[in-house]
Amino acid sequence: MAKGKNLDIHFPPPYYKVWGKHASLFKAEASVCIRQRAPLQINSWKDMCEDDYEGMWKYMKSQLDLSDDVKDHAMKQLQSQYKNRYYNVRKAYRVQKVRLDDVSPEDWDWLIHHKWSNGTRSLKNQVNRSKQEIKSITGTKSIVQTAFDMKEDPKSDKWPDAVNVWKANMRADGTWCIPNGEQIMWG
C-alpha cells in the first residue's frame, strides 16, 4: 500500500505511541491487520502464539516499510488495536446480540461460550473502571498524537506544554470531561 513512499511515522520516547503525519495510516493498517490476522479464540493478547505475532509484524512491516527498530513499539500499538477490536466485538454482543460481519461464526460461538457467558471478568472491569480518576475523551488518539496535532510547526522540536495538552481533553462547551478536572489541573 505505502511501499516506496517515505512515511512520517514515529514512536517517540517516553511513551512510544505512534504519531506523525501518517499516524492515521499506521492505525488503519493496524486495524486491517488485526481483523485479518489476529485470532479471537484466545483469552488474551499474551496467549497468542509466536507465529501470529510474526505474521502480523511481517504484514505491518511490508505495508508501511517499518524498520526492525520499531517492532516492539509497533506491536504495542497492535496490542492496543486488538483490545479495541475485542471491545467492539463484545459491545456488539452485549448491545445488539448480533455477530459482526468480519467475525466468523466459529469465533463468535467460542467467544460467547468461553469468554462472555461468565460475568466475572466484566464485573472486575467495572470495579477497576470506577476507580479511574481521569477519563480520556480523545478516543483512540494518543496523548502524543494530540500534542503533535497541536504543534504550530510540525517540523519543529518545540512541543506544546502539558497544560495545553491537558486542556485539549476539555469538552467543546469548555467544561472538564471529569468532575475533578480543575482540581487535578490546578492542585
Side-chain angles (χ1 to χ4, degrees), residues 1-3 5 7-9 18 20-32 60 63-64:
M1 177 177 203
K3 281 187 176 183
K5 294 183 181 178
L7 298 177
D8 181 28
I9 297 173
V18 65
K21 185 177 173 185
H22 299 106
S24 60
L25 177 61
F26 176 91
K27 289 182 179 181
E29 286 297 335
S31 292
V32 170
M60 294 299 290
Q63 293 298 310
L64 302 171

Side-chain angles (χ1 to χ4, degrees), residues 29 31 37 58 63 78 92 94 100 105 125 132 143 155 164 166 182:
E29 286 297 335
S31 292
R37 299 175 185 278
K58 285 178 184 173
Q63 293 298 310
L78 283 176
R94 279 190 16 228
L100 300 177
N125 288 342
Q132 289 180 343
I143 291 171
K155 295 181 180 183
N164 288 326
W166 177 252
E182 193 166 351

Side-chain angles (χ1 to χ4, degrees), residues 43-61:
N43 287 319
S44 73
W45 175 264
K46 293 175 184 173
D47 295 336
M48 199 176 301
C49 74
E50 193 62 34
D51 289 344
D52 289 328
Y53 285 123
E54 284 306 312
M56 287 186 283
W57 169 242
K58 285 178 184 173
Y59 174 85
M60 294 299 290
K61 187 176 176 180

Side-chain angles (χ1 to χ4, degrees), residues 11-17 19 144:
F11 301 88
Y15 305 111
Y16 302 101
K17 299 282 187 180
W19 70 270
V144 175

